Amino acid sequence: MLERPSLAQCALLCIAPMMGSCASSVPSRVVAPQPIFRLETVRQETARTTKPVDESPKRAQRAWEFETRAFAVPSASAGSIDSRVSRFGASLTWNLRVTERTTAAVKLETERSSYKFDGLQAALPGFDLRRVDGLDVHRASVNFMHIRSKETSYFVGAGAAVAQEPGAAFEDSSVFNFQVGMRHAWNDSLSTSIGVAASTRIEEDLFALPFLGLDWTATDSWSFQFGVPATGVKFRASDSVSVALRARFEFRDFRLEDSGAMPGGILRDEGIGVELGLDWRPSPAISLGVNAGYLMNRELRFDDASGATLLEVHPDSSPFAGLSLKYQI
């Protein structure tokens, strides 16, 4: 049975039409943290242009992209419970041309999270979860895009991730996702996407989500992205500086260690991040980003090893800040 969307998901669906980060024209440097499951496809410029496909033989084109990012929520209160979160992550992407009409992106990601709690022990008697360090997410994905014509392209992708505290069983911490869809460029500035994405979750039913998205480049300076999990507007001040206002829904599930304070339990964290980001490109190969905003409609949930909920809290809206560095070869 498919899982029903949560309140946070429903809230974001009211912000914009449903869409994954596929077809995104508003790059997300460090939007709240990166989720375990993302509706993401290869975002190649060839999929957005209305120019005819070059039929002449070409040598395979390859490009590497490395990104590192940091994120922190200084404090978030839910009654007598206070939480603080910090994350650090990195990713490596290999973009390549498979055939004259097909491109692929192979991506490896890793991220480490740290949670600190005050007042949680009283709400969860018998579980000493004042601090949870070393929550790791390791993810691998591959996405393909096939250009059928100058207007239409298709995309398909799949990925796998493990999200766990050291000492948790690997096989009990794994999730898998899949997405497929179509993109149509109506002209040089407007394109739409439609498709479906699905993901497993730790000790929960399969989650599936159809998406419909829109990318619009209004002028040389202004562009808009409408969809799920990300919606935003971007202003390009110059060739090297851009400013973006973004909203994004994200969720994470972590399997806790078998012999820890909550043996084999699950920590779930989801919410909506609204942020203002500044991106600076000092050279064609390097991009620096800084962003700040608020986490809203957030839910922290503590489940036992079988997925039964032990405690659910809803922290107040809280500020966050992030940094990123991207290097392309």
Side-chain angles (χ1 to χ4, degrees):
M1 188 172 100
L2 299 183
E3 179 184 334
R4 296 180 59 187
S6 67
L7 292 177
Q9 292 166 282
C10 294
L12 187 55
L13 295 182
C14 296
I15 296 176
M18 298 171 64
M19 173 190 173
S21 56
C22 54
S24 169
S25 62
V26 182
S28 54
R29 299 291 184 232
V30 188
V31 189
Q34 299 296 314
I36 291 176
F37 169 49
R38 290 176 301 174
L39 312 179
E40 183 175 16
T41 62
V42 185
R43 298 180 295 177
Q44 306 288 350
E45 288 300 317
T46 51
R48 302 182 56 207
T49 182
T50 56
K51 295 179 182 179
V53 177
D54 186 359
E55 299 290 349
S56 61
K58 292 182 180 179
R59 183 179 177 181
Q61 298 178 0
R62 303 177 182 181
W64 293 89
E65 181 179 284
F66 173 77
E67 182 178 8
T68 182
R69 54 191 177 269
F71 165 87
V73 182
S75 178
S77 299
S80 60
I81 301 173
D82 186 76
S83 63
R84 295 175 294 281
V85 185
S86 61
R87 306 190 201 280
F88 178 79
S91 63
L92 181 65
T93 305
W94 181 31
N95 297 304
L96 68 152
R97 183 180 295 276
V98 180
T99 69
E100 288 302 316
R101 293 177 178 266
T102 305
T103 57
V106 180
K107 191 170 188 177
L108 301 176
E109 301 175 82
T110 185
E111 180 187 78
R112 169 156 288 199
S113 301
S114 176
Y115 287 78
K116 295 180 181 179
F117 300 104
D118 292 327
L120 185 61
Q121 193 172 15
L124 276 173
F127 301 103
D128 188 10
L129 281 175
R130 284 173 286 190
R131 184 184 182 105
V132 186
D133 286 325
L135 293 174
D136 294 323
V137 178
H138 304 295
R139 185 184 303 111
S141 62
V142 58
N143 294 278
F144 295 91
M145 179 170 282
H146 177 72
I147 303 171
R148 181 188 177 192
S149 66
K150 62 181 181 180
E151 295 92 8
T152 305
S153 56
Y154 302 97
F155 55 85
V156 61
V162 58
Q164 62 180 163
E165 185 179 15
F170 180 88
E171 62 275 11
D172 295 331
S173 310
S174 302
V175 295
F176 305 91
N177 62 69
F178 173 81
Q179 55 272 338
V180 62
M182 181 184 79
R183 181 187 181 108
H184 184 81
W186 301 95
N187 52 47
D188 286 334
S189 60
L190 180 66
S191 64
T192 54
S193 300
I194 187 171
V196 64
S199 175
T200 61
R201 296 188 67 178
I202 299 176
E203 299 297 342
E204 285 200 359
D205 295 332
L206 176 73
F207 171 67
L209 180 72
F211 58 86
L212 173 65
L214 179 146
D215 267 332
W216 177 37
T217 303
T219 68
D220 290 340
S221 299
W222 290 95
S223 58
F224 302 85
Q225 172 201 357
F226 302 94
V228 172
T231 288
V233 54
K234 176 185 174 183
F235 174 70
R236 186 168 172 256
S238 67
D239 290 340
S240 59
V241 177
S242 62
V243 180
L245 178 64
R246 300 177 281 248
R248 176 184 289 267
F249 167 73
E250 297 185 346
F251 66 79
R252 283 178 177 73
D253 300 338
F254 299 101
R255 175 74 74 176
L256 303 181
E257 64 174 319
D258 295 336
S259 57
M262 184 183 289
I266 305 163
L267 170 59
R268 306 187 193 274
D269 187 353
E270 66 177 49
I272 298 173
V274 178
E275 68 162 19
L276 183 66
L278 173 67
D279 293 317
W280 174 48
R281 187 180 290 273
S283 74
I286 299 175
S287 177
L288 302 173
V290 58
N291 65 306
Y294 267 83
L295 282 178
M296 303 181 297
N297 286 53
R298 193 165 170 222
E299 178 182 290
L300 286 174
R301 204 168 94 206
F302 302 87
D303 295 353
D304 65 16
S306 64
T309 299
L310 300 174
L311 178 67
E312 182 179 304
V313 297
H314 298 270
D316 296 333
S317 297
S318 55
F320 70 85
L323 298 170
S324 69
L325 168 64
K326 181 179 288 187
Y327 179 70
Q328 297 173 312
I329 302 175

